[in-house]
Amino acid sequence: DHWPALEQLFGASGACGGCWCMAWRVPRGGKTWEAMKGEPARCAMKALVEAGQAHGVLAFEGDTAVGWCSLGPRSHFPRLERVRAYRRTDTEGVWSINCFFIPRAWRGQGLSRLLLTRAVEVCEQRGARAVEGYPVTLTRAGARLPAAFAWMGPLPIFERLGFTTVQAEPPSKPLVRRISPARR
């Protein structure tokens, strides 16, 4: 029902560089990803949405979408297994929160924290044993990381919601998890 709002939020750039929140959904990077970006990614995301296979939460100001957070069973994001820092063997029942998009005008107002809170609730309502994230650290080489590079979410918002780091090799790519309350 909210596809038009998502399409308007992502705009002509497809959120970021023609991604359309498909980066983690393709099995390979490189040429496969380059061929997917732009209109092919928009069509693929729309097909997933229409099939009920793409999940996320939107933040609205009135009728206008001002933020997005992607979520879903980890198995829906095959590219995670291609990144050594995120490989795991205990992924049964794990849901992933792996992408945030907040336009520049709406950044710095706490939307990522609100989106994450709601995304965790949705994952747990759908039976997630654990919820996983791949946040970015806010600094790199001592300099503050630009907000545009924080599309997987900043680490502190995950930590405030009870996520703990389960692996961080390299340290710039922490994998965090929160065990669902029903599973504790």
Side-chain angles (χ1 to χ4, degrees), residues 14-106:
C16 185
C19 178
W20 286 92
C21 210
M22 291 295 296
W24 293 115
R25 298 172 198 278
V26 295
R28 298 182 151 309
K31 291 179 183 177
T32 303
W33 174 238
E34 288 302 316
M36 169 62 84
K37 288 171 35 174
E39 184 61 15
R42 186 191 74 77
C43 291
M45 182 60 154
K46 185 174 184 185
L48 289 171
V49 167
E50 289 174 347
Q53 293 299 308
H55 309 284
V57 293
L58 286 164
F60 285 88
E61 174 65 35
D63 292 333
T64 303
V66 296
W68 160 259
C69 179
S70 176
L71 59 97
R74 183 181 162 115
S75 61
H76 287 193
F77 305 105
R79 196 162 171 197
L80 289 170
E81 294 305 319
R82 306 269 313 155
V83 178
R84 183 177 300 132
Y86 304 140
R87 288 185 193 145
R88 299 286 296 187
T89 57
D90 59 343
T91 60
E92 184 70 32
V94 174
W95 280 51
S96 294
I97 296 175
N98 54 33
C99 182
F100 293 80
F101 179 71
I102 300 170
R104 179 174 288 141
W106 290 93

Side-chain angles (χ1 to χ4, degrees), residues 130-149:
V131 181
E132 190 172 86
Y134 322 94
V136 295
T137 55
L138 295 177
T139 60
R140 182 177 295 152
R144 185 162 172 78
L145 186 68
F149 295 105

Side-chain angles (χ1 to χ4, degrees), residues 9 41 51 54 107 109 111 148 160-161 163 169:
L9 173 67
R107 293 179 191 153
Q109 299 179 40
L111 278 178
R160 282 187 215 120
L161 281 179
F163 284 78
E169 193 54 47

